[in-house]
Amino acid sequence: MSHTELKRAVYEANMELHRRNLVVHTWGNVSQIDRALGLVAIKPSGVAYDKLRAEDIVLVDLDNQVVDSALRPSSDTKTHTHLYRHFDAIGGVTHTHSTYATAWAQAQQSIPCYGTTHADYAYGDIACTAIMSDAQIARDYEEETGVQITDCYAGRDPMEAPMVIVAGHAPFTWGRSADEAVMHAVILEEIARMAYLTRTLRADTGPLKQAITDKHYLRKHGKDAYYGQK
Ligand SMILES: O=C(CO)[C@@H](O)[C@@H](O)COP(=O)(O)O
């Protein structure tokens, strides 16, 4: 993919986030990696979506060095690149402050699998990361946010549940492309809203039976397929 094509793909994905009402003001960001180029394209920091142009998308390497743009990359860039370095199968990352997923993050609670809608996209709970230590925050908040996320997936396939909520912050999602990462952000927000309403209707609601979870997840994904791949 050329630099221009990569920037265009990430521009369109960021605008889809905005069209889906998952972001307010300048919050959130989407990126995509081209592993052959060794480059990540990401939304510039602080740019309103209605002012954003494809040529504004910033290209960085996996050491977070800007290689093409006059603008600053998103303040969450180190989190995105940390995920690309540790999750080989992913091609796109999305970060939002979508209302319901952020409420679960602020409550510092994982989202239990209450139903088959959830089970179709995430195997088991949608994890909330552990609270970061003061030392981690002092070291590098954005990089350590990535560490908290990858710690949740130690030894686990990240595509089994391509969505996570960062305690006290907000959600991150990923996929094989920026577009798929955005789709997972849309799905996460809907699952988070359903789960909140489920809890409100019945506080002691238990999780979906494991057998049903297994059936739905495997039917949708199979052992080697990811969502949307035959
Ligand atoms: O998470 C946050 C701030 O808490 C960021 O995603 C949000 O403000 C967007 O920052 P950028 O404009 O991408 O630097």
Side-chain angles (χ1 to χ4, degrees), residues 6 26 156 175 224:
L6 182 58
T26 63
R156 193 179 162 202
D224 304 316

Side-chain angles (χ1 to χ4, degrees), residues 26-29 43-47 73-76 95 97 169:
T26 63
W27 304 345
N29 33 73
K43 183 178 176 289
S45 185
V47 177
S74 167
S75 54
D76 298 300
H95 172 51
H97 286 219
H169 186 176

Side-chain angles (χ1 to χ4, degrees), residues 182-204:
V182 167
M183 179 193 72
H184 288 149
V186 172
I187 289 162
L188 170 58
E189 178 62 6
E190 197 55 25
I191 289 172
R193 190 163 69 94
M194 289 175 184
Y196 168 76
L197 293 172
T198 301
R199 272 278 180 87
T200 304
L201 287 168
R202 181 177 174 181
D204 66 345

Side-chain angles (χ1 to χ4, degrees), residues 5 46 82 120 136 167:
E5 288 166 333
H82 180 91
D120 277 345
Q136 283 180 287

Side-chain angles (χ1 to χ4, degrees), residues 29 42-43 45 62-64 72-86 93 95 97 129-130 132-151 164 166-172:
N29 33 73
I42 192 164
K43 183 178 176 289
S45 185
L62 281 171
D63 295 322
N64 305 299
R72 275 186 314 113
S74 167
S75 54
D76 298 300
T77 297
K78 287 185 177 180
T79 307
H80 289 241
T81 53
H82 180 91
L83 296 180
Y84 288 127
R85 289 196 304 271
H86 289 76
V93 174
H95 172 51
H97 286 219
T129 64
M132 215 181 282
S133 69
D134 291 346
Q136 283 180 287
I137 295 166
R139 194 159 46 238
D140 188 325
Y141 177 70
E142 285 74 25
E143 182 71 36
E144 292 299 328
T145 296
V147 171
Q148 298 301 85
I149 293 171
T150 50
D151 282 356
V164 75
V166 176
H169 186 176
F172 281 81

Side-chain angles (χ1 to χ4, degrees), residues 23-227:
V23 287
V24 172
H25 191 40
T26 63
W27 304 345
N29 33 73
V30 186
S31 70
Q32 181 166 305
I33 188 170
D34 183 316
R35 293 188 186 271
L37 295 174
L39 294 177
V40 173
I42 192 164
K43 183 178 176 289
S45 185
V47 177
Y49 289 85
D50 59 0
K51 302 273 189 305
L52 186 66
R53 302 167 305 167
E55 55 266 41
D56 295 332
I57 298 298
V58 182
L59 292 181
V60 299
D61 64 21
L62 281 171
D63 295 322
N64 305 299
Q65 296 309 304
V66 175
V67 299
D68 174 11
S69 177
L71 299 173
R72 275 186 314 113
S74 167
S75 54
D76 298 300
T77 297
K78 287 185 177 180
T79 307
H80 289 241
T81 53
H82 180 91
L83 296 180
Y84 288 127
R85 289 196 304 271
H86 289 76
F87 292 165
D88 298 340
I90 71 172
V93 174
T94 293
H95 172 51
T96 77
H97 286 219
S98 60
T99 305
Y100 284 89
T102 301
W104 283 91
Q106 292 180 166
Q108 301 167 22
Q109 288 194 28
S110 297
I111 304 176
C113 181
Y114 287 130
T116 57
T117 314
H118 177 140
D120 277 345
Y121 296 98
Y123 193 68
D125 291 1
I126 294 170
C128 179
T129 64
I131 303 287
M132 215 181 282
S133 69
D134 291 346
Q136 283 180 287
I137 295 166
R139 194 159 46 238
D140 188 325
Y141 177 70
E142 285 74 25
E143 182 71 36
E144 292 299 328
T145 296
V147 171
Q148 298 301 85
I149 293 171
T150 50
D151 282 356
C152 284
Y153 285 79
R156 193 179 162 202
D157 177 355
M159 292 303 281
E160 274 190 3
M163 44 192 78
V164 75
I165 51 181
V166 176
H169 186 176
F172 281 81
T173 64
W174 48 86
R176 294 165 301 159
S177 65
D179 282 347
E180 192 171 86
V182 167
M183 179 193 72
H184 288 149
V186 172
I187 289 162
L188 170 58
E189 178 62 6
E190 197 55 25
I191 289 172
R193 190 163 69 94
M194 289 175 184
Y196 168 76
L197 293 172
T198 301
R199 272 278 180 87
T200 304
L201 287 168
R202 181 177 174 181
D204 66 345
T205 303
L208 195 65
K209 263 181 170 295
Q210 190 62 44
I212 300 176
T213 299
D214 291 347
K215 180 179 173 56
H216 269 265
Y217 182 80
L218 290 176
R219 186 181 69 187
K220 193 92 180 184
H221 296 264
K223 260 296 170 222
D224 304 316
Y226 291 128
Y227 173 78

